[in-house]
């Protein structure tokens, strides 16, 4: 169970207007049976003196909810209406009105909206149920007037942690689908207005989702702020950068040229990096660029590579290098998970192991992003769907991304950049065999990350990692490795020197260096 605010916020000024929406058909006619399941005064419920719905009933209910506020002549600048949605996942089914009534009554008391010990001074509130959401979630809307019966204002300070604690308690008592404690890992979703605008324009994605994909791919492929900005511009996206006094990238914003707005000075809809995803802000990107060295210079091209900027030998080596690093990362994660189970020694060691595991989970996202780009290019197939599912898995609870990187996580990030440099990969012939091996190794690592997330109690992230694993295996089933040719393959130039794969034992964790400076030309302040 989760408690969430509507997309336009949890506070408002119009009690009657909100009730009108809740008892109306909804924006997509999804309100099939609107009715009260709980209220501060049970006479408003089925069988009560005020339960009969007739002309003027809704306006009278609104006036009654606001009566204490009007009588005490209290005005709240932020709005007196407090609106929260309590929602269950589809697999939990419907609770029924009686169970919802008990739960909402309990929540009102737990949140401090009820009367005092002498039964006085409670808020006036109702809970409305109108059938499942479009996604099939059973839910109720709780509407509270924050002005109490004695004229005081209810305390909503740090209300979300209190709602979260109550929801976790309800899950445990009723055997509902467990969710994770609030940890700031949930993705930033498009608003309803953005989704409706994309539908009107005939686009499959909102601007926020499209920009997040472009920016994430550029961030995973780049090694500096200058390269990042250049990659974003190559995708035909408008980008404006802001630089700090020390020359580092302090901020940026991006916009899709065809997405217009009448409310901005230049007619564009701009998104800052942090509005796309918590790990796409300029400081977070700069920390990741500084977390690992760039890849080796590419292997030389031969006479067959005249029309290509990257030779076949380099593409082959990049794929094999990525596969080897993924395999080593999985082995390291297995070792870390088994050590945490069998070695209950110092807490400091356990924290360091957790940091290393988190850094592997975080760096895996870059590998997944560049693999999807290299194999599917602009298609939106199973690999792209795996990236979308995995984005939440990579976020470290409360901290977004690591401050200490395991050596193998550094190798993952470097190998990702090398794979990004290789460009689009062919699915045919020997190259297709290598790509299939790469995706199998990636699926094995993501599956291990899913098990580790579940073991750590991060249920939502574990479920997201399981979904990403399913998408990767789905791609593997739909694109089996091509048969190896019976003739001898052409001799490729000998690979250049390769970095040895890092092992966790005997190495110090990598600490990020200061981020690189701005591009030398064309910068704006």
């Amino acid at each position: 169970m989760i408690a969430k605010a509507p997309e336009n916020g949890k506070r408002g000024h119009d009690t009657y207007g909100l009730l009108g929406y809740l008892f109306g058909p909804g924006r997509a006619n999804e309100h099939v049976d609107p009715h009260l399941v709980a209220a501060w005064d049970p006479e408003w419920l089925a069988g009560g003196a005020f339960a009969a719905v007739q002309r003027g009933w809704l306006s009278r209910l609104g006036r009654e909810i606001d009566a204490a506020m009007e009588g005490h002549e209290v005005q709240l600048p932020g709005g007196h209406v407090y609106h929260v949605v309590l929602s269950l996942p589809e697999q939990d089914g419907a609770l029924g009105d009686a169970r919802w009534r008990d739960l909402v009554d309990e929540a009102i008391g737990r949140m401090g909206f009820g009367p005092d010990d002498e039964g006085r001074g409670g808020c006036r509130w109702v809970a409305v149920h109108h059938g499942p959401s479009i996604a099939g979630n059973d839910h109720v809307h709780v509407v509270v007037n924050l002005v109490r019966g004695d004229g005081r204002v209810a305390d909503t300070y740090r209300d979300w942690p209190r709602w979260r604690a109550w929801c976790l308690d309800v899950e445990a008592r009723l055997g509902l689908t467990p969710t994770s404690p609030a940890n700031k890992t949930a993705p930033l979703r498009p608003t309803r207005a953005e989704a409706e605008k994309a539908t009107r324009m005939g686009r499959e994605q909102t601007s926020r989702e499209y920009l997040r994909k472009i920016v994430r791919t550029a961030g995973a492929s780049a090694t500096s702020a200058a390269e990042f900005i250049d990659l974003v511009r190559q995708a035909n996206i408008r980008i404006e950068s802001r630089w700090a006094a020390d020359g580092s990238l302090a901020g940026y914003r991006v916009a899709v040229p065809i997405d217009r707005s009448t409310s901005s000075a230049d007619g564009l809809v701009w998104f800052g990096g942090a509005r796309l995803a918590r790990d796409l802000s300029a400081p977070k990107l700069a920390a990741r660029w500084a977390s690992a060295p760039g890849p080796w210079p590419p292997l030389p091209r031969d006479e067959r590579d005249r029309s290509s900027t990257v030779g076949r030998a380099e593409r082959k080596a990049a794929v094999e290098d990525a596969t080897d690093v993924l395999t080593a990362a999985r082995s390291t994660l297995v070792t870390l998970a088994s050590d945490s189970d069998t070695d209950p020694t110092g807490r400091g060691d356990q924290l360091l192991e957790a940091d290393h595991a988190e850094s592997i989970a975080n760096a895996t996202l870059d590998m997944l992003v560049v693999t999807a780009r290299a194999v599917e290019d602009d298609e939106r197939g199973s690999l792209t769907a795996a990236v979308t599912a995995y984005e939440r898995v990579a976020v470290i609870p409360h901290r977004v991304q690591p401050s200490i990187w395991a050596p193998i996580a550094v190798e993952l990030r470097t190998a990702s950049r090398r794979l990004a440099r290789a460009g689009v990969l062919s699915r045919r012939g020997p190259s297709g065999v290598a790509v299939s091996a790469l995706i199998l190794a990636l699926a094995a690592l993501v599956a291990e990350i899913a098990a580790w997330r579940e073991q750590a109690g991060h249920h939502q992230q574990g479920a997201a990692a399981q979904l990403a694993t399913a998408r990767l295996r789905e791609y593997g089933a739909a694109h089996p490795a091509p048969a190896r040719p019976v003739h001898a393959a052409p001799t490729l130039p000998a690979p250049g020197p390769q970095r040895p794969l890092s092992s966790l034992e005997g190495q110090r964790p990598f600490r990020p260096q200061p981020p690189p400076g701005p591009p030398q030309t064309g910068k704006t302040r």
Side-chain angles (χ1 to χ4, degrees), residues 246-262:
D246 63 356
S248 61
L249 181 65
Y252 69 93
R253 63 176 187 168
V254 289
V256 179
I258 63 172
D259 189 4
R260 312 298 294 181
S261 170
T262 58

Side-chain angles (χ1 to χ4, degrees), residues 460-479:
Q460 297 293 329
Q461 291 176 292
Q466 291 174 7
L467 178 58
T469 303
R471 293 291 176 264
L472 289 167
R473 290 172 175 167
E474 179 182 286
Y475 179 88
H479 302 84

Side-chain angles (χ1 to χ4, degrees), residues 443-510:
L445 174 57
V446 174
E448 194 62 42
I449 291 171
W452 169 73
R453 283 292 189 198
E454 285 290 343
Q455 177 183 316
H458 305 152
H459 302 299
Q460 297 293 329
Q461 291 176 292
Q466 291 174 7
L467 178 58
T469 303
R471 293 291 176 264
L472 289 167
R473 290 172 175 167
E474 179 182 286
Y475 179 88
H479 302 84
R484 294 180 180 274
V486 295
H487 56 79
T491 302
L492 297 174
Q498 301 290 313
R499 288 189 183 87
L501 291 178
S502 303
S503 63
L504 193 63
E505 184 177 358
Q507 297 206 31
R508 298 176 61 85
F510 184 88

